[in-house]
Amino acid sequence: MAEEMDSNMRQFLSDRRLSIADLAKKASSESSETAAERRERLRALAIGKREAELSQLRMEDRYETQVQENFALLTNLHEACFTKCGRRDDVSYLTMAEGICFRNCLNKFNTWYPRLGEQTQDAAFKTYWGLTQELEQEVKKN
């Protein structure tokens, strides 16, 4: 019985053995990433790694800062949504309509916020570029 169980276990393990070559083939066949995209992704990773290595902050410091920022953001979000939706002053809780308003306010933010990063990427550059263009047009007019 023990020998049969050992052979079953060996068969089980051999059927599920991982091979780096097989994993590499599978990964390359499933990936639709071009060489340029891969190079750009690896470049971004290398830049991030280099910034983390050169920074005086530890990862714990970055995490703590991120937690504090998220806490401040969500506290202000809840307070703003509560202020916006809480219309009755005679009760200390939200009515049904106010609760629905509060929920919708939070849901709108949760839909908008994940896209904020990609929408504001290079925002400073775009802002200064737009200001520069406006100044150039004013100079041309005068």
Side-chain angles (χ1 to χ4, degrees):
M1 180 74 170
E3 188 175 302
E4 183 181 322
M5 195 160 101
D6 288 342
S7 68
N8 287 340
M9 182 56 101
R10 277 194 291 277
Q11 181 64 36
F12 176 82
L13 291 174
S14 68
D15 290 345
R16 287 158 181 77
R17 180 159 298 177
L18 293 178
S19 163
I20 296 296
D22 292 340
L23 290 174
K25 287 178 190 175
K26 185 176 181 183
S28 65
S29 68
E30 291 177 354
S31 176
S32 61
E33 185 178 48
T34 65
E37 291 170 340
R38 179 174 167 25
R39 216 175 15 258
E40 183 60 31
R41 182 177 55 83
L42 292 176
R43 181 177 180 276
L45 285 171
I47 290 171
K49 180 181 178 208
R50 185 70 176 165
E51 287 174 352
E53 289 171 350
L54 294 177
S55 174
Q56 297 295 321
L57 296 175
R58 299 180 323 233
M59 290 308 290
E60 293 83 7
D61 298 328
R62 291 175 187 258
Y63 179 76
E64 182 180 356
T65 303
Q66 185 180 16
V67 167
Q68 290 174 351
E69 288 173 354
N70 285 340
F71 175 76
L73 176 73
L74 293 175
T75 301
N76 290 328
L77 169 67
H78 280 82
E79 187 175 320
C81 286
F82 188 83
T83 303
K84 175 187 176 285
C85 297
R87 303 197 194 305
R88 291 184 58 187
D89 294 332
D90 58 330
V91 293
S92 60
Y93 53 86
L94 296 175
T95 63
M96 182 68 86
E98 292 170 342
I100 291 171
C101 173
F102 183 75
R103 180 203 63 200
N104 290 343
C105 179
L106 294 178
N107 283 341
K108 285 177 186 175
F109 181 80
N110 289 334
T111 302
W112 167 80
Y113 185 69
R115 296 184 180 100
L116 178 65
E118 67 188 45
Q119 291 173 355
T120 57
Q121 189 173 12
D122 298 328
F125 172 77
K126 292 174 186 174
T127 300
Y128 289 116
W129 176 261
L131 292 173
T132 305
Q133 295 299 318
E134 289 176 13
L135 287 172
E136 287 178 0
Q137 288 175 1
E138 284 184 28
V139 168
K140 288 179 184 177
K141 288 180 184 176
N142 296 333

